[in-house]
């Protein structure tokens, strides 16, 4: 029986709420459970208000819960900022420290049960004890997580801080666990599932980095930007282990050009950024397209437009990813559909970029990137990529030779007899700049054809179910839709889910094939302008009536919300 | 510093020219700079396939196509970033960067600062004609404040950018000035620049015959620098700040270590990285 | 470089002579190409002819050198009185609308510079095989000067509006 319990922990001013949340996820992971851990915070760099949001389950977690079963608050400073993100119901439990002030009305309105526990006073009973560790013990107790796994998680998190920190935390947690025993509230995770598959604990940004390295990336140049910086932080030391390197550039314009230069030199290269950075990179993305140089650009999307909402998620960079570069500039756009999928999709992006000598944009988002999760290990790991190069030559080498495949040999500098000048200017097959009708046509056809005619196989989309009502979603929305469909299937609704992984080039005939037998289709996306819906309308053959549900961030979709939307739509 | 040992096979300068015919206006200084580059490469006996010439946009940025080396004609202002990515990942190649004053000091200004700061082993040759030639004659960062043009009638009134001082302050390891009217001297400077480890910056005064006819007078104004090149950064700063823009030769030779990526051996297979995530 | 020219070895003299003619030849080739690209076909033809003539001169030097191995000298180490080899026409003096008269005037100046160069070389040498060779080369330059003068006499002088182009420059990128 699938069980999920959502727990939130809030606090401010250095109270260590995120550390505590991480520890609980670690403990649950070690016990054999699955889960997701997200966080929300105020604008301060330190000392601000924070919320740790956990969704733990005996089954892989596709989506957060609709409400939090338990909310533990170390204090109430600015907690109403999070009220919308911490929905409660009258089945929920609020644990409050009576010495920390009144519970905000907006939370009480839910009708949740309230239990008062003097977390701070308790923590003082242990030398250097902290309330957040009391909360760890408390929450673990209620969830039924064993002391052993909690201790393991504690050791992992605190070993660097020394024995004293460990001792005081253990002491504080023990007090919390005792307090849990006094609470009459059912919220146990129950038995851990029988493990058949191996599991990983990682976040989407790490998964993206890992996928990139599996795909063969060995050079990264990048400029820090929220929420992509962790991709770079993870990749930097791990690249080194593989003989690669990461360089911090002076801005995004330098980042994209450095990786183009490195790729020109023969090294698969990547950068990671967010919407504002991708916007800056568009001109040079065009350069890479025109000169047929493979690069991978990861866009961990955030709230837009402009500076937008850097710490929240949205799916509103689709338009610039698809249509950003000026001119007719066909290229590849992929989107991972879950945290675990970031590995496969990013690796695939590298493979496709290298194989077709075309830049690839990978659209991840803040939800995927910064949510830490326990996921199933994939059955197979991607392994490397291949680029068509040229041997030393005596005959005239033509870098942009036109043939059926559209993919010409890309000589690695140092190869004798194959010297060529890569150029953003339109060129003839040799690479000499040309404004001639025939050359422009031939090269445009080449660059478009090489990806239009490429056999992407079945990975272009995940298609689940065979119902005659189809829901189409992409990126982080897919997981929430999947959970919503799971609930609706139980209610007798027969739905089909189509999650494209390859967004460009558009696959109209494959989409038509995926929609065979469907009466109606519904697209769902986190975007104010319904970018995905308009893309489907404009570029895909969708024979059946297509409706859409869209809204902007900053709030992620919740399964309950989508259950309602899909149900209403199915009835209309 | 070129890392490729000179081969036994000697090259003549013509061996570095491609079959593409330059379209610069006859009288343009870039013709002789192109010739100086080929003379320098021949003097160093570099294999053409081990040389990469990177450029941005502008008249002088057309040079890669006219050479028989590997080349990259990138977008406006970003040549140094392209070259940095290439050289860091391919330290075995000899990487030259060519371009003009607009490409290098206006849109490319930020990358110029950081290229000097980073001190990667590159040779950057800027053909400075104090105008945007390709777009028909606008003032550039090095244009005199009173030079009249359509976009800035009467002159910009702005103090010209001083690239040599900026290069010195930002960390360039070799700074020189040449003149297209002295192709052999410029060739020697380019040889010295390539040989010097780290970031070498060579400004070559290269008159624009079409939009800056007044630059014909440069021939009478340039002179070999009256003092030997200095290795003292303070002295160089003083000289460059008071330089009138007409002193030719090597003006500064630094001794900073060039920036290279650690030569990381491959410790493990990519798949083994999984261990850090395994539960 | 100004100052006394001291070339007192045969191999060095011949190396200078060869490069002098070779650079002149290559420069004429390049200039011919420039003129062709800019559709000044009269002058292009003229420069091609000059290049051909220079190529014969180069051959002659090579033949004269015979078995002597000529030293490899860097371009900047030659003892030219000016920045470039004497017989080279400067890129600066070229105009896309130049007339054959202009071209020949430049060629004449070039040959005159070459003549002056060998004259100086001779002046600074004492009797011997090197001086003899230098003298031969000097005499040949006088012949070249005469040839150009002859050619010049057969060519029209440019009109006042020779550099008039009603079209403005064209934006390229």
């Amino acid at each position: 029986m699938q069980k999920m319990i959502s727990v939130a922990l809030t606090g401010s001013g250095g109270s260590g709420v995120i550390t505590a949340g991480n520890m609980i996820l670690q403990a649950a992971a070690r016990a054999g459970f699955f889960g997701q851990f997200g966080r929300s915070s105020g604008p301060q760099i330190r000392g601000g208000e924070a919320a740790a949001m956990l969704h733990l389950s005996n089954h892989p977690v596709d989506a957060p819960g609709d409400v939090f079963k338990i909310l533990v608050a170390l204090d109430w400073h600015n907690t109403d900022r999070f009220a919308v993100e911490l929905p409660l119901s009258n089945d929920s439990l609020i644990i409050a420290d009576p010495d920390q002030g009144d519970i905000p009305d907006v939370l009480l309105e839910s009708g949740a049960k309230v239990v008062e526990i003097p977390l701070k006073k308790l923590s003082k009973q242990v030398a250097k004890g902290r309330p957040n560790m009391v909360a760890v013990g408390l929450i673990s107790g209620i969830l039924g997580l064993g002391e052993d796994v909690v201790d393991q998680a504690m050791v992992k998190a605190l070993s660097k801080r020394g024995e004293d920190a460990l001792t005081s935390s253990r002491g504080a947690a023990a007090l919390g666990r005792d307090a849990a025993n006094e609470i009459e509230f059912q919220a146990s995770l129950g038995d851990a599932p029988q493990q058949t598959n191996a599991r990983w604990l990682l976040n989407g940004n790490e998964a993206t980095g890992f996928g990139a390295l599996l795909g063969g990336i060995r050079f990264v140049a990048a400029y820090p930007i929220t929420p992509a910086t962790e991709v770079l932080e993870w990749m930097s030391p791990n690249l080194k282990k593989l003989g690669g390197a990461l360089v911090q550039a002076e801005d995004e314009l330098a980042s994209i050009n450095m990786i183009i230069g490195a790729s020109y030199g023969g090294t698969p290269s990547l950068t990671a950024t967010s919407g504002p950075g991708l916007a800056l990179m568009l001109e040079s993305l065009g350069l890479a397209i025109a000169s047929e140089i493979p690069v991978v650009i990861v866009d961990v999307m955030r709230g837009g437009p402009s500076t937008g909402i850097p710490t929240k998620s949205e799916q509103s960079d689709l338009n610039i990813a698809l249509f950003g570069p000026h001119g007719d500039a066909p290229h590849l756009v992929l989107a991972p559909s879950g945290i675990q999928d970031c590995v496969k999709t990013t690796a695939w992006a590298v493979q496709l970029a290298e194989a077709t000598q075309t830049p690839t944009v990978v659209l991840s988002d803040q939800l995927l990137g910064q949510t830490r999760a326990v996921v199933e290990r994939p059955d197979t790991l991607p392994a490397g990529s291949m680029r068509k190069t040229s041997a030393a030559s005596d005959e005239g080498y033509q870098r942009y030779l036109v043939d059926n495949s559209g993919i010409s040999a890309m000589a690695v500098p140092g190869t004798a007899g194959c010297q060529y000048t890569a150029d953003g200017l339109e060129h003839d097959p040799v690479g000499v700049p040309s404004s001639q009708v025939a050359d422009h046509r031939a090269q445009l056809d080449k660059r478009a054809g090489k990806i239009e005619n490429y056999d992407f196989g079945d990975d272009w989309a995940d298609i689940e179910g065979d119902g005659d009502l189809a829901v189409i979603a992409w990126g982080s929305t897919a997981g929430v839709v999947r959970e919503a469909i799971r609930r609706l299937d139980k209610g007798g609704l027969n739905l089909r889910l189509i999650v494209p992984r390859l967004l460009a080039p558009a696959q109209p005939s494959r989409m038509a094939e995926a929609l065979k037998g469907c009466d109606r289709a519904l697209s769902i996306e986190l975007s104010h302008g319904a970018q995905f819906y308009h893309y489907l309308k404009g570029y895909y053959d969708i024979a059946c009536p297509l409706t859409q549900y869209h809204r902007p961030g900053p709030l992620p979709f919740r399964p309950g919300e989508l259950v309602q939307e899909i149900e209403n739509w199915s009835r209309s | 510093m070129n890392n490729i040992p000179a081969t036994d096979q000697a090259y003549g300068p013509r061996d570095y020219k491609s079959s593409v015919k330059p379209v610069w206006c006859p009288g343009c200084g870039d013709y002789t700079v192109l010739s100086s580059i080929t003379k320098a490469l021949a003097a160093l006996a570099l294999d053409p396939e081990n040389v990469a010439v990177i450029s941005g946009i502008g008249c002088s940025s057309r040079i890669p196509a006219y050479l028989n080396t590997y080349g990259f004609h990138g977008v406006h202002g970003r040549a140094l970033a392209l070259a940095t990515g290439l050289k860091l990942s391919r330290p075995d190649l000899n990487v030259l960067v060519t371009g003009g004053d607009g490409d290098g000091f206006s849109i490319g200004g930020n990358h110029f600062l950081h290229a000097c700061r980073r001190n990667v082993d590159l040779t950057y040759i800027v053909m400075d004609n104090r105008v945007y030639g390709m777009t028909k004659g606008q003032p550039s960062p090095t244009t005199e404040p009173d030079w009249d043009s359509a976009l800035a009638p009467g002159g910009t009134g702005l103090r010209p950018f001083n690239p040599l001082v900026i290069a010195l302050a930002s960390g360039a390891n070799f700074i020189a000035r040449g003149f297209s009217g002295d192709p052999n001297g410029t060739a020697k400077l380019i040889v010295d620049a390539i040989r010097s480890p780290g970031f070498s910056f060579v400004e070559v005064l290269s008159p624009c015959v079409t939009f800056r006819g007044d630059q014909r007078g440069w021939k009478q104004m340039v002179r070999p620098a009256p003092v030997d090149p200095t290795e003292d950064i303070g002295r160089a700063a003083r000289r460059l700040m008071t330089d009138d823009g007409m002193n030719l030769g090597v003006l500064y030779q630094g001794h900073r270590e060039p920036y290279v990526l650690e030569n990381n051996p491959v410790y493990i297979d990519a798949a083994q990285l999984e261990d850090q995530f395994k539960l | 470089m100004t100052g006394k020219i001291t070339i007192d070895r045969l191999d060095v003299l011949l190396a200078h002579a060869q490069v002098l003619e070779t650079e002149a030849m290559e420069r004429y080739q390049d200039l011919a190409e420039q003129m062709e690209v800019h559709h000044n076909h009269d002058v292009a033809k003229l420069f091609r002819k000059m290049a051909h003539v220079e190529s014969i001169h180069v051959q002659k030097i090579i033949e004269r050198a015979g078995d002597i191995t000529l030293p490899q000298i860097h371009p900047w180490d030659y003892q030219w009185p000016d920045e470039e080899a004497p017989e080279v026409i400067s890129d600066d003096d070229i105009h896309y609308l130049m007339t054959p008269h202009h071209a020949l005037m430049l060629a004449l100046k070039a040959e005159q510079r070459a003549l002056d160069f060998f004259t100086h070389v001779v002046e600074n040498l004492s009797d011997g095989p090197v001086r003899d060779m230098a003298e031969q080369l000097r005499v040949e330059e006088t012949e070249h000067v005469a040839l150009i003068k002859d050619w010049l006499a057969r060519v029209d002088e440019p009109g006042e509006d020779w550099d008039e182009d009603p079209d403005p420059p064209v934006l390229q990128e």
Side-chain angles (χ1 to χ4, degrees), chain B residues 50-114:
Chain B
N50 291 325
V51 178
V53 182
I54 316 295
S55 69
I57 301 285
C59 292
S60 50
S61 282
R62 296 214 156 176
I63 278 185
Y66 306 145
L67 290 167
N68 189 29
T69 58
Y70 279 92
F72 206 138
H73 185 212
V75 292
H76 199 29
R78 318 289 169 206
L80 286 170
L82 281 175
T84 299
L86 177 62
K87 180 69 184 185
L88 284 178
S89 59
R90 289 291 306 277
D92 57 307
L93 295 174
N94 297 277
V95 181
L96 307 185
V97 188
T98 59
D101 41 299
D103 183 83
F105 309 139
S106 196
I107 186 169
N110 192 30
H111 305 306
F112 179 53
L113 292 176
H114 290 274

Side-chain angles (χ1 to χ4, degrees), chain C residues 139-168:
Chain C
V139 166
E140 275 171 22
E141 292 300 342
T142 62
E143 289 165 14
H144 301 165
V145 169
L147 269 164
I148 304 284
K149 276 186 172 156
D150 215 39
W151 196 349
L152 202 49
R154 291 183 263 124
V155 156
D156 292 332
E157 281 191 31
E160 259 178 30
D161 55 353
W162 67 272
D163 60 350
E164 213 177 87
D165 181 348
D167 284 347

Side-chain angles (χ1 to χ4, degrees), chain B residues 14 17 21 23-24 26-27 31-32 39 43 57 62 134-136 181-184 188 191 211 216 219, chain C residues 23 26-27 29-30 33-35 37-38 74-76 83-84 90-92 94 96 169 171-173:
Chain B
R14 302 303 253 191
K17 285 199 75 186
K21 300 182 182 161
V23 296
W24 296 316
Y31 281 105
T32 39
K39 285 182 176 174
I57 301 285
R62 296 214 156 176
M134 182 147 275
T135 46
K136 298 203 300 170
D182 177 16
N184 291 326
K188 174 90 186 18
V191 167
F211 296 107
R216 285 186 162 277
K219 214 173 184 124
Chain C
E23 293 231 335
E26 288 175 352
R27 182 56 57 86
Q29 283 168 350
D30 287 345
E33 203 173 75
Q34 287 187 37
M35 290 297 109
V37 169
H38 291 83
H74 284 309
W76 48 85
E83 284 87 9
E84 292 207 81
S90 169
D91 279 317
D92 289 349
I94 304 300
Y96 70 106
L171 259 168
Q172 285 303 333
E173 259 172 57

Side-chain angles (χ1 to χ4, degrees), chain A residues 363-375:
Chain A
L363 289 176
S364 174
D365 64 33
Q366 182 273 332
L367 273 175
L368 296 176
Q370 294 189 326
T371 300
R372 182 164 289 285
V374 181
V375 301

Side-chain angles (χ1 to χ4, degrees), chain A residues 199-201 234 238 241-244 250-251 257-258 264-265 293 377 412-415 419-424, chain B residues 48-49 64 68 70-73 78 81-82 85-86 89-90 110-111 114 118 264 267-268 273-274 276-277 279:
Chain A
R199 294 166 307 136
W200 286 344
L201 174 55
W234 185 86
N238 287 287
K241 297 175 191 166
L242 305 178
E250 57 268 28
D251 57 28
N257 278 282
M258 283 186 191
Y264 168 76
I293 296 184
R377 182 206 189 270
V412 177
T415 310
Q419 291 92 293
Y420 74 98
T421 293
D423 211 320
Chain B
E49 65 266 20
N68 189 29
Y70 279 92
F72 206 138
H73 185 212
R78 318 289 169 206
L82 281 175
L86 177 62
S89 59
R90 289 291 306 277
N110 192 30
H111 305 306
H114 290 274
R118 227 176 249 120
N264 296 318
Y267 290 112
I268 54 174
L273 292 171
E274 151 176 37
Q276 60 190 283
F277 303 126
L279 282 164

